[in-house]
């Protein structure tokens, strides 16, 4: 049964059809974030193209949020040690294992620049479907990372990078780096709560990765 939609929220978990409808819209949606602050050192091929057709309320929210509510976060956790652990952890993030948390999950697209990403999440009993697009991917011998950036229709504006890194001492780490601000009036008013759920995502994702790599 599809979730009943009220504005940006769904009462009940959105159906696959509702999620796929947003996935189909992603290629046509502009960025809602201009990449002024980035979590990646080198940009992918999909350059920012922001939407300038915001109304007066949206422009006011953007101005206030950019100056007062811009958040930058970086967290990491040690997963193990050695080449075997690195390869397994890399495969896990490339298959979106780190984002399958029950209360938050994605459509798990192929990890490539330009791929449509849809994040489905539940907060206080209400669900949202948030559109993003992959903007960077880096595959190296000791480091794997990719980044997705928010699009028009997402409650937040920003980007998120996921990293698996093997240090010189052989230790393997999983990290999440984010920059974000509210992009709608609803998000601005609920921003303290959104920050709680952003932190919950990082904590749950790291716990999930630590548990999964031991299997």
């Amino acid at each position: 049964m599809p979730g009943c939609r009220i504005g940006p929220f769904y009462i009940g978990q959105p159906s696959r059809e509702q999620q796929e409808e947003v996935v189909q819209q992603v290629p046509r949606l502009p960025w809602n974030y201009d990449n002024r602050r980035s979590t990646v050192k080198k940009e992918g091929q999909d350059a920012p193209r922001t939407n300038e057709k915001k109304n007066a309320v949206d422009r006011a929210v953007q101005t206030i949020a950019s100056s007062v509510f811009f958040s930058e976060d970086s967290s990491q956790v040690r997963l193990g040690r050695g080449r075997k652990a690195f390869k397994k952890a890399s495969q896990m993030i490339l298959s979106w294992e780190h984002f399958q948390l029950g209360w938050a999950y994605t459509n798990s697209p192929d990890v490539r620049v330009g791929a449509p990403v849809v994040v489905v999440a539940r907060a206080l009993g209400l669900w949202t479907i948030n559109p993003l697009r992959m903007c960077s991917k880096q595959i190296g011998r000791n480091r794997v990372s990719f980044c997705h950036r928010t699009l028009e229709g997402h409650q937040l504006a920003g980007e998120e990078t996921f990293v698996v890194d093997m240090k010189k001492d052989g230790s393997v780490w999983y990290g999440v780096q984010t920059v974000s601000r509210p992009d709608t009036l609803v998000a601005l008013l609920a921003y303290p709560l959104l920050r709680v759920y952003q932190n919950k995502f990082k904590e749950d994702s790291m716990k999930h990765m630590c548990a999964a790599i031991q299997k």
Side-chain angles (χ1 to χ4, degrees):
M1 178 182 294
C4 177
R5 185 174 182 180
I6 302 176
F9 303 109
Y10 293 80
I11 299 176
Q13 186 172 2
S15 66
R16 288 184 178 273
E17 290 76 14
Q18 288 172 318
Q19 296 171 45
E20 184 59 28
E21 182 179 347
V22 178
V23 170
Q24 295 302 317
Q25 294 172 5
V26 166
R28 302 188 300 273
L29 293 175
W31 306 110
N32 66 352
Y33 177 60
D34 60 10
N35 192 33
R36 212 168 302 171
R37 309 183 193 187
S38 181
T39 60
V40 292
K41 296 180 180 179
K42 183 178 180 181
E43 285 305 301
Q45 300 171 358
D46 201 1
R49 177 172 54 89
T50 56
N51 187 5
E52 301 297 334
K53 299 180 180 180
K54 290 179 175 287
N55 59 38
V57 173
D58 288 337
R59 288 196 298 271
V61 168
Q62 186 178 54
T63 300
I64 294 170
S66 295
S67 59
V68 180
F69 292 101
F70 218 115
S71 300
E72 299 184 54
D73 302 297
S74 181
S75 301
Q76 61 178 348
V77 65
R78 188 179 188 275
L79 297 179
R81 187 178 185 85
R83 183 63 54 188
K84 184 177 180 180
F86 172 75
K87 288 183 177 180
K88 183 173 182 179
S90 298
Q91 292 169 357
M92 287 164 60
I93 69 164
L94 292 174
S95 62
W96 296 89
E97 177 69 26
H98 62 291
F99 219 121
Q100 306 308 318
L101 306 177
W103 68 272
Y105 58 92
T106 74
N107 58 318
S108 302
D110 292 338
V111 176
R112 57 177 175 79
V113 172
V117 181
V118 168
V119 172
V120 182
R122 183 184 71 243
L124 298 181
L126 297 175
W127 292 83
T128 57
I129 304 178
N130 297 291
L132 306 95
R133 190 157 55 236
M134 296 278 300
C135 61
S136 178
K137 174 185 176 181
Q138 297 180 15
I139 304 292
R141 174 170 171 76
N142 296 322
R143 180 182 172 91
V144 171
S145 68
F146 65 88
C147 176
H148 56 197
R149 188 176 294 139
T150 57
L151 303 172
E152 198 68 31
H154 199 297
Q155 293 298 305
L156 298 175
E159 63 183 36
E160 191 167 41
T161 295
F162 305 102
V163 180
V164 169
D165 195 17
M166 187 165 74
K167 309 293 186 183
K168 291 182 179 180
D169 65 358
S171 61
V172 177
W173 297 75
Y174 163 62
V176 182
Q177 302 164 12
T178 60
V179 294
S180 65
R181 61 165 174 78
D183 196 55
T184 67
L185 182 59
V186 170
L188 183 63
L189 296 174
Y191 196 55
L193 179 62
L194 289 175
R195 290 292 292 157
V196 169
Y197 277 92
Q198 282 184 313
N199 290 327
K200 174 177 170 58
F201 167 76
K202 286 184 294 184
E203 292 174 3
D204 287 0
S205 182
M206 290 181 181
K207 289 178 182 176
H208 184 73
M209 287 288 285
C210 287
I213 203 164
Q214 299 301 325
K215 295 180 179 179

